[in-house]
Amino acid sequence: MTPADLADLLRATAAKVLVERGSDPAVLPDEVKVERPRNPEHGDYATNVAMQVGKKAGLNPREFATLLAEALSQAEGIDAAEIAGPGFLNIRLAKSAQGAIIETILAAGEKYGTATPLAGQKINLEFVSANPTGPVHLGGTRWAAVGDALGRILSAQGAEVTREYYFNDHGAQIDRFANSLVAAATGRPTPDDGYAGAYIGEIADTIVAANPQALSLSADEQRELFRREGVELMFAQIKQNLHEFGVDFDVYFNESSLFASGAVEQAIEFLKDSGKLYEKDGAWWIASTEYGDDKDRVVIKSDGNSAYIGGDIAYFQNKRSRGFDLCIYMLGADHHGYIGRLKAAAAAFGDNPDTVEVLIGQMVNLVKDGAAVKMSKRAGTVITLDDLVDAIGVDAARYSLVRSSVNSSIDIDLDLWTKADSENPIYYVQYAHARTNQIIGNAAAFDYASVTPDFALLTDVREGELIRTLGEYPRVVATAAEAREPHRVVRYLEELAGAYHPFQSDKTLRVIPQGDDDVSPLNATRLEMVKATRQVLANGLGLLGVSAPERM
């Protein structure tokens, strides 16, 4: 019996009790919450539903809890239900019910933890979208890891997810990039507002090698050549680096196409004509303060040109025209104002502002030997995706970046994440998977097939704790999807590894027969539990885009 199964049983039993007492079962919540007590001696699960709805139903909470405990104790799969305090209910599952969790996991395999609450929903998930003026920096790398994990988690809940990269190939930053390349190619100093770093010289040299006439062109022709080919080369490198990081996109959308097609101009004219913009100081504004922005935003400047938000507005309209029900934008710490302006854009087009979600990610810092790492060898002014991967590898990089809420800044200690011991969180989790695989491999030499598992034999507290932790996985994935918080899966995996390691390290809890002993029903039952643990660890790591090694 999984926590979700228990929650359903609790609600059905509570509804029956209320009806028998002449109370309206509508006072019950849609979902009854069950939690695991901190102290396993208090039971396998606990609920406060009696305290939550007792008075609403005209019953004393403890009286309601008493009635509920009596009815619940008669239910299949429940060993005991005990009242604590003013109306808490502590529940102990029958051993056979705990065994059902193992059977469910093994039957579902890779599908364990998936569900369909988001079935039929088309989600556009935009993340990274780094300017093609330099390598992906640490902030973009965090979004690459978190965004890809979130896409996997939303898909696991039934959503149709399109991963999209917004290719910022329009605007002043591209001009500065081109000017920097020209300066490097011609031996002039980097412009004051330009881009520095060894990568600029490398790209410039590549362009000159492919275009021997480049240095003899006119200034305008030269700038256009270096702009066009420089952006192409830089973006090709970004795509390659992300691919090697395990992140690929379904759509690469060019910002410049919005301007070339007239989409920006058309969107702005629509908003003007429909009265969604107002005029002030010779400019046209959108009332984004109504949606949480710190100030209203200029859409058309006083010189008649579109402001940067014009592209954002047209881009949102383009997404909606492609049939997306929800547009999630994952942006850096300096983009907080985008929440209000994008919701304002949605409302201006007659959409529900909730069709827009903006997730803001905080800063990432690297630490080595107790001191901050400040500069990249190649990019010069920033730490890049490649720098992080070179230091700790793809798996550790992805795991460390997803491990914390995006609302908080993080320090990645390079010394910690390269350790091959239990202090390193990813090693701790991956080693648990490797150990399950080793035990299952060792079991192949014995005849387990002829022995029937009996889950009633699993009486050790560590076995019960491991099984209950395994049962939590579907709920963790569902919550991670609903809250847009992939770090919940990471923390769960560490909890699962923490429940597994004490079990497998205790030689009295044997999975493999000792000496010449035959396989016992207890051995066979424990092997099923180990197989289930391996499956859940692999499923969870898969949602993070992290490997589940067979040996370490």
Side-chain angles (χ1 to χ4, degrees):
M1 182 180 295
T2 67
D5 295 332
L6 178 58
D8 290 342
L9 174 61
L10 269 168
R11 194 182 191 286
T13 305
K16 181 180 178 182
V17 167
L18 290 174
V19 170
E20 290 173 350
R21 296 288 294 184
S23 300
D24 186 356
V27 298
L28 289 167
D30 292 337
E31 181 181 351
V32 173
K33 292 185 178 180
V34 295
E35 298 179 344
R36 289 160 58 201
R38 292 183 179 180
N39 186 347
E41 294 180 1
H42 293 164
D44 299 326
Y45 295 98
T47 182
N48 67 346
V49 67
M51 297 176 63
Q52 187 179 2
V53 304
K55 290 183 179 179
K56 296 178 183 178
L59 296 170
N60 176 279
R62 188 173 175 88
E63 177 189 1
F64 182 30
T66 301
L67 295 170
L68 185 56
E70 291 174 355
L72 200 63
S73 296
Q74 307 303 313
E76 184 178 356
I78 303 299
D79 189 41
E82 303 165 349
I83 305 163
F88 289 102
L89 204 60
N90 292 328
I91 303 165
R92 299 181 189 278
L93 300 183
K95 298 303 179 184
S96 59
Q98 291 195 83
I101 294 176
I102 304 301
E103 294 170 343
T104 297
I105 293 169
L106 296 180
E110 293 181 356
K111 295 295 184 181
Y112 182 66
T114 63
T116 58
L118 299 179
Q121 187 169 19
K122 292 184 65 176
I123 298 177
N124 182 283
L125 181 62
E126 183 204 328
F127 58 105
V128 183
S129 297
N131 291 338
T133 56
V136 178
H137 57 67
L138 270 186
T141 306
R142 184 180 196 179
W143 275 140
V146 175
D148 188 60
L150 179 57
R152 293 166 187 253
I153 290 168
L154 292 172
S155 296
Q157 295 298 292
E160 181 183 338
V161 179
T162 295
R163 294 167 173 80
E164 186 149 320
Y165 190 115
Y166 188 48
F167 184 28
N168 296 277
D169 60 342
H170 179 85
Q173 80 277 2
I174 299 298
D175 294 333
R176 294 196 297 271
F177 179 59
N179 292 336
S180 302
L181 293 174
V182 171
T186 56
R188 297 197 301 270
T190 301
D192 292 339
D193 62 350
Y195 296 93
Y199 76 95
I200 291 291
E202 294 168 5
I203 293 174
D205 290 344
T206 300
I207 294 173
V208 171
N211 302 274
Q213 82 288 4
L215 300 182
S216 61
L217 297 173
S218 69
D220 288 344
E221 292 174 329
Q222 199 174 69
R223 188 179 302 106
E224 174 57 24
L225 171 67
F226 279 89
R227 185 203 65 77
R228 183 182 67 253
E229 297 205 7
V231 166
E232 184 177 328
L233 288 168
M234 189 73 257
F235 194 59
Q237 181 183 319
I238 289 173
K239 289 176 69 174
Q240 181 62 29
N241 290 347
L242 288 170
H243 175 73
E244 292 171 354
F245 195 55
V247 178
D248 293 292
F249 291 83
D250 303 300
V251 174
Y252 293 94
F253 191 97
N254 288 64
E255 179 186 12
S256 60
S257 68
L258 294 170
F259 292 87
S261 67
V264 174
E265 183 178 353
Q266 292 167 16
I268 292 173
E269 286 304 312
F270 172 83
L271 296 181
K272 285 177 65 177
D273 293 342
S274 59
K276 300 300 183 182
L277 303 182
Y278 67 89
E279 189 174 11
K280 186 181 75 171
D281 300 330
W284 289 86
W285 303 67
I286 188 168
S288 53
T289 50
E290 296 180 10
Y291 300 91
D293 203 353
D294 58 348
K295 61 183 179 181
D296 287 353
R297 300 288 169 173
V298 173
V299 178
I300 305 175
K301 296 181 287 187
S302 57
D303 63 5
N305 291 319
S306 169
Y308 190 80
I309 190 177
D312 296 329
I313 290 172
Y315 184 37
F316 168 76
Q317 189 181 41
N318 176 278
K319 288 184 178 183
R320 291 288 281 157
S321 71
R322 285 184 272 149
F324 293 109
D325 304 305
L326 176 65
C327 301
I328 300 177
Y329 297 77
M330 305 180 73
L331 305 176
D334 57 343
H335 287 70
H336 197 275
Y338 274 69
I339 299 174
R341 71 187 74 170
L342 288 171
K343 285 185 175 292
F349 283 113
D351 267 327
N352 184 335
D354 289 340
T355 57
V356 170
E357 287 186 23
V358 180
L359 307 180
I360 301 295
Q362 298 303 316
M363 300 297 292
V364 182
N365 303 300
L366 295 192
V367 176
K368 184 171 178 57
D369 299 325
V373 178
K374 295 184 178 295
M375 190 172 293
S376 167
K377 292 180 180 179
R378 183 162 177 268
T381 56
V382 296
I383 303 296
T384 69
L385 184 159
D386 278 352
D387 294 324
L388 180 61
V389 170
D390 288 346
I392 63 177
V394 170
D395 277 354
R398 290 184 64 122
Y399 191 97
S400 63
L401 290 166
V402 180
R403 189 171 184 255
S404 301
S405 166
V406 296
N407 296 321
S408 61
S409 299
I410 54 175
D411 293 330
I412 296 179
D413 187 333
L414 301 182
D415 299 315
L416 170 67
W417 290 95
T418 52
K419 282 186 175 181
D421 61 32
S422 60
E423 287 186 39
N424 180 346
I426 189 173
Y427 183 91
Y428 187 66
V429 173
Q430 288 183 319
Y431 183 65
H433 182 271
R435 287 290 291 132
T436 62
N437 199 68
Q438 181 183 25
I439 290 171
I440 293 167
N442 292 342
F446 297 85
D447 181 17
Y448 283 80
S450 62
V451 181
T452 302
D454 180 359
F455 291 100
L457 298 174
L458 298 178
T459 58
D460 190 274
V461 65
R462 285 158 293 187
E463 295 166 336
E465 180 66 14
L466 177 54
I467 292 173
R468 288 189 293 277
T469 304
L470 291 168
E472 291 287 333
Y473 179 68
R475 185 162 64 176
V476 170
V477 178
T479 303
E482 183 179 0
R484 318 294 193 237
E485 294 181 342
H487 71 273
R488 291 175 181 265
V489 175
V490 179
R491 298 303 176 138
Y492 166 81
L493 290 174
E494 291 171 21
E495 181 183 357
L496 177 56
Y500 175 71
H501 283 303
F503 162 77
Q504 65 88 23
S505 62
D506 190 327
K507 302 305 180 185
T508 66
L509 304 176
R510 302 196 65 85
V511 178
I512 306 298
Q514 190 172 15
D516 296 328
D517 292 347
D518 293 330
V519 175
S520 70
L522 184 54
N523 294 143
T525 307
R526 287 174 177 158
L527 181 62
E528 296 298 284
M529 186 167 60
V530 172
K531 289 179 179 178
T533 303
R534 178 176 69 170
Q535 186 66 67
V536 176
L537 286 167
N539 290 0
L541 288 168
L543 287 182
L544 305 177
V546 173
S547 69
E550 294 185 359
R551 59 181 61 85
M552 291 177 68

